[in-house]
Amino acid sequence: MIKQILRDHIFQIVTALNLSHDREFIIETPTKDEFGDYSTNVALVLAKENKTSPVKLADMILKELKKSKHYKKVEIAGPGFINFFLSPTMYQNILWSIFEAQNEYGKSTYGNGEKILLEFVSANPTGPLNIVSARAAAFGDTLYRIMKHVGFDPAREFYINDAGNQVDILAESVELRLREIQGEKIGEFPYEAYHGEYVKHLAQKLNSVEGVRVFMLPEKDRMEHLKEFALSELLEMQRLSLEKFGVTFEGWVSEKTLRMEGVVEEVLSYLAEADCTYEKEDAIWFCSTKFGDDKDRVLMKSDGSITYFVPDLAYHLTKIQRGYSKLIDIFGPDHHGYVPRLKAAFKALNYDENMLEIIFLQQVNLFESGERVKMSKRAGKIVTMDDLVSVVGKDAARYFFIARKANAHLNFDLELAMKKNNENPVYYCQYAYARICSILKKAKKDKVLPKAFKEDMLAKLVKPEELNMMQKLAELPDLLVAIAEYREPHRLTNYLEELAAMFHRYYAKYQIVSEKSKDLTKARLLLIQIIKEVMFICFELMGVSAPEKM
RNA sequence: GCGCCAGUAGCUCAGCAGGAUAGAGCAGCAGCCUUCUAAGCUGCGGGUCAGGGGUUCGAAUCCCUUCUGGCGUGCCA
């Protein structure tokens, strides 16, 4: 916001001075206060192409900048940086515009309505969602919300792997448990089967509804029946877990349905037409190595069944057909090897491979009393998303998951997430919000809260802490754009923590409702009202609640 | 072996897209409630940005290389 104003101004000057300006310059907020509120490297960057020294060039630009009233001071520093010290009036104007924007603040048309498909979670419907899925859900959903806020047209999708091997094994696992319940000796439960308790629960449920009738069906029909039953149950369970987590999807796409629509054959024929398939050892292969993959991949196995890859590729093609220009897949850490073949297929079929963007989330390690919590999927010992949410709550879980950048391992400290003090960043931020609400409430009760805020009330805000907060508040729109563009939601939690810290410090140092000056009180109440609104937007974008009382 | 990701304070992590003397929180030590929520605030110490080379006015950031850790490398999904 402010950066854009400064950028435009500099650009105007550079053009007016007839300077060559091929290279990009930046506006940044310096780490040190003495370097101003903002600074630019424009003179450093453009010196060479204008055949002059950075300091001389900075001097030329500075002369023009000084003509403006927006700046309290502009100066040259170091090797040729130009530092800006903004006037309080400029900050006050911006603050007022934030107040007027209300919940619309930070919204923009940056994304130009570009249709973006975010696919995430897409877990196998063979068990409860685990914590990596939870991370994906929090990450994908927050990214969705932020992208939408800055003018993209994103959609969330969950791809259901309801066909194929894993599902067969699921059905078999349920059948075994069912036989067990009905008193049959099944011996040792097979190694590959699903060992989780939830399989027993499924079997119990089926038993209480249908009992032995299940086994009156012929084998083939019985397996279909079991599959259908288990899938719908588990899918519903997953959907509920996500809903409790505040995550919904615009679309649930079933692999089985895709297969029935004949897309598998289509994809095979496309690849064949592009002359990218061949037969070997009774299987049909895709020569993905021609397009950068490590090895060729099987499309149709020697037993005539299809690999996971084919319907998944078909699914991706439907995304393009539905008009999405960017396909973002959010994957867990165990899918690295899968990307080259997808990209290879895009190339083979003459689609721009850059349409496909993969974000990898690294694994999540749970820690309890400094000890890593061991999980084992086969033994059925996984900490599920529901477990986590019931222990630490939705707010802490969502917050912790987006607080780290995607491609870093996430050490999830369960105790920290449950703590209710300033060590826990979620509470730290929420507490700042609740404090503001409390002050506003009290001000209203004491009849010092103005009926309507007016812009000129802000003139009283000149303390450095106040100006710094205004600057921080003004950063949000640029930040949201950067988050959407670089797919880095974690920067929002950083921002919120910084803002909360600024407020807590301010609160400790200054009295907001003061008997001495009514005008100052009004100004400060307006300021915290705006902080509240901005914090609310942040919480909303993260899917974390903003409590008015704690 | 090959591929992907990571390595920043004792610990957990930021570092705004190449900028000025690298920042928080926690842990440690010392303080602050008769005052709008102490679920808070203030002060002090703490670094070979894994090592080495390169690119340039300038590198934690970009390139090369070595080391360490995690993950992947199915006719599983």
Side-chain angles (χ1 to χ4, degrees):
Chain A
M1 194 174 196
I2 298 178
K3 282 185 184 175
Q4 195 53 45
I5 297 170
L6 296 178
R7 176 176 292 278
D8 291 347
H9 194 186
I10 293 165
F11 197 80
Q12 203 185 318
I13 291 169
V14 167
T15 320
L17 290 175
N18 251 325
L19 293 166
S20 154
H21 51 270
D22 291 340
R23 288 183 61 191
E24 289 281 315
F25 59 90
I26 60 160
I27 314 278
E28 58 164 3
T29 53
T31 41
K32 304 275 172 190
D33 288 345
E34 64 213 72
F35 296 146
D37 302 321
Y38 292 90
S39 78
T40 179
N41 65 349
V42 63
L44 290 158
V45 169
L46 299 185
K48 199 177 241 178
E49 59 181 287
N50 287 288
K51 299 198 174 76
T52 179
S53 78
V55 176
K56 274 185 194 160
L57 188 58
D59 203 47
M60 285 169 72
I61 297 169
L62 192 70
K63 276 196 186 114
E64 297 300 315
L65 285 171
K66 280 191 167 164
K67 291 175 185 166
S68 165
K69 283 179 198 158
H70 288 325
Y71 317 118
K72 196 168 67 187
K73 190 169 76 176
V74 262
E75 61 183 21
I76 300 173
F81 289 102
I82 298 175
N83 296 337
F84 297 85
F85 297 79
L86 270 48
S87 70
T89 324
M90 189 164 172
Y91 279 128
Q92 289 155 9
N93 292 343
I94 287 163
L95 191 62
W96 183 251
S97 71
I98 298 173
F99 176 69
E100 289 192 309
Q102 298 192 327
N103 282 356
E104 302 286 302
Y105 181 55
K107 279 196 184 167
S108 61
T109 52
Y110 175 84
N112 272 321
E114 187 185 352
K115 286 189 76 176
I116 295 184
L117 197 125
L118 289 161
E119 184 202 331
F120 55 97
V121 185
S122 296
N124 280 334
T126 52
L129 293 173
N130 61 22
I131 51 174
V132 178
S133 290
R135 185 180 187 181
F139 183 95
D141 187 54
T142 302
L143 190 55
Y144 165 84
R145 294 177 190 220
I146 294 170
M147 285 187 141
K148 198 166 181 182
H149 204 76
V150 299
F152 290 96
D153 181 15
R156 295 160 288 189
E157 255 177 34
F158 187 119
Y159 178 60
I160 311 163
N161 304 138
D162 51 3
N165 227 349
Q166 308 291 337
V167 186
D168 294 340
I169 296 172
L170 174 71
E172 284 157 21
S173 305
V174 174
E175 176 174 324
L176 276 174
R177 290 303 186 200
L178 190 59
R179 290 184 185 280
E180 200 173 41
I181 290 167
Q182 295 179 356
E184 216 171 297
K185 287 245 185 321
I186 57 162
E188 201 178 327
F189 205 65
Y191 179 79
E192 308 81 14
Y194 290 98
H195 285 237
E197 284 298 307
Y198 62 92
V199 179
K200 291 184 190 168
H201 296 153
L202 284 179
Q204 273 157 12
K205 185 163 179 185
L206 188 61
N207 187 53
S208 64
V209 179
E210 307 187 12
V212 286
R213 267 185 294 150
V214 177
F215 293 103
M216 288 147 103
L217 292 165
E219 159 116 24
K220 208 180 158 198
D221 294 348
R222 189 175 71 238
M223 290 320 285
E224 273 312 306
H225 184 64
L226 282 167
K227 255 195 244 183
E228 237 166 74
F229 169 78
L231 280 175
S232 67
E233 288 286 322
L234 289 172
L235 208 57
E236 180 57 14
M237 192 166 112
Q238 292 187 346
R239 199 191 57 76
L240 268 174
S241 302
L242 289 162
E243 196 178 284
K244 272 190 279 175
F245 204 48
V247 180
T248 54
F249 290 83
E250 278 67 39
W252 294 75
V253 177
S254 151
E255 177 184 350
K256 201 161 110 191
T257 309
L258 282 176
R259 288 190 189 213
M260 288 192 304
E261 285 167 356
V263 292
V264 170
E265 290 74 14
E266 261 177 59
V267 165
L268 287 176
S269 69
Y270 290 159
L271 285 170
E273 276 166 37
D275 205 18
C276 296
T277 60
Y278 61 91
E279 244 186 281
K280 195 178 90 182
E281 293 160 3
D282 297 326
I284 298 175
W285 295 69
F286 168 40
C287 57
S288 53
T289 42
K290 279 192 193 158
F291 305 95
D293 198 2
D294 288 345
K295 54 179 87 165
D296 289 349
R297 307 291 171 174
V298 170
L299 299 169
M300 187 183 279
K301 304 180 215 170
S302 48
D303 67 2
S305 68
I306 222 81
T307 59
Y308 171 80
F309 174 55
V310 182
D312 189 44
L313 174 59
Y315 170 46
H316 281 81
L317 298 184
T318 71
K319 296 178 185 176
I320 299 171
Q321 284 154 13
R322 285 182 281 148
Y324 291 98
S325 51
K326 196 90 194 174
L327 320 178
I328 300 179
D329 289 353
I330 299 168
F331 281 177
D334 49 348
H335 281 64
H336 292 132
Y338 186 65
V339 177
R341 84 191 70 164
L342 257 187
K343 293 241 174 198
F346 270 58
K347 278 186 255 185
L349 298 175
N350 263 321
Y351 288 107
D352 178 6
E353 58 167 319
N354 294 319
M355 287 175 86
L356 180 65
E357 182 182 318
I358 315 286
I359 298 173
F360 284 104
L361 291 173
Q362 291 302 319
Q363 68 188 61
V364 178
N365 299 318
L366 287 182
F367 281 84
E368 199 166 14
S369 354
E371 292 280 312
R372 183 152 159 204
V373 180
K374 297 258 186 216
M375 285 171 278
S376 158
K377 197 171 185 178
R378 194 166 35 248
K381 266 195 248 164
I382 47 169
V383 177
T384 66
M385 177 166 161
D386 289 343
D387 292 343
L388 182 74
V389 173
S390 69
V391 170
V392 306
K394 182 190 88 162
D395 288 347
R398 285 192 69 130
Y399 191 97
F400 275 55
F401 281 132
I402 57 170
R404 300 277 173 265
K405 55 184 168 196
N407 51 14
H409 291 198
L410 193 150
N411 290 329
F412 197 114
D413 184 337
L414 288 167
E415 274 153 20
L416 181 60
M418 284 186 281
K419 273 188 187 164
K420 304 205 166 178
N421 60 28
N422 60 343
E423 289 172 43
N424 183 344
V426 191
Y427 283 87
Y428 184 81
C429 296
Q430 289 181 322
Y431 185 50
Y433 184 85
R435 253 185 170 170
I436 293 174
C437 293
S438 165
I439 297 167
L440 290 169
K441 210 162 138 192
K442 185 171 188 306
K444 194 170 180 184
K445 203 177 120 205
D446 296 350
K447 303 212 170 6
V448 290
L449 188 71
K451 286 208 175 63
F453 287 116
K454 297 201 180 69
E455 184 169 8
D456 57 17
M457 290 175 181
L458 292 171
K460 288 278 174 187
L461 299 175
V462 290
K463 296 275 187 220
E465 288 87 351
E466 292 163 342
L467 297 173
N468 284 341
M469 279 195 283
M470 295 186 213
Q471 185 179 356
K472 195 83 202 165
L473 294 168
E475 278 173 20
L476 186 72
D478 285 345
L479 179 71
L480 293 179
V481 165
I483 290 172
E485 198 55 65
Y486 297 107
R487 330 310 188 197
E488 292 180 340
H490 73 277
R491 284 167 60 176
L492 191 58
T493 58
N494 290 341
Y495 174 82
L496 189 57
E497 279 166 47
E498 283 161 13
L499 186 59
M502 286 173 124
F503 170 74
H504 282 310
R505 280 197 289 270
Y506 180 68
Y507 170 89
K509 189 167 173 182
Y510 299 100
Q511 190 73 20
I512 288 161
V513 176
S514 134
E515 269 111 61
K516 283 180 217 146
S517 167
K518 278 191 170 174
D519 288 345
L520 189 58
T521 299
K522 281 183 197 166
R524 288 182 171 168
L525 285 172
L526 178 48
L527 173 62
I528 66 167
Q529 170 66 31
I530 296 166
I531 296 172
K532 180 189 152 185
E533 282 170 14
V534 171
M535 291 188 90
F536 184 83
I537 293 169
C538 293
F539 282 125
E540 190 95 320
L541 291 173
M542 297 189 299
V544 172
S545 64
E548 307 225 331
K549 218 167 78 180
M550 288 173 81

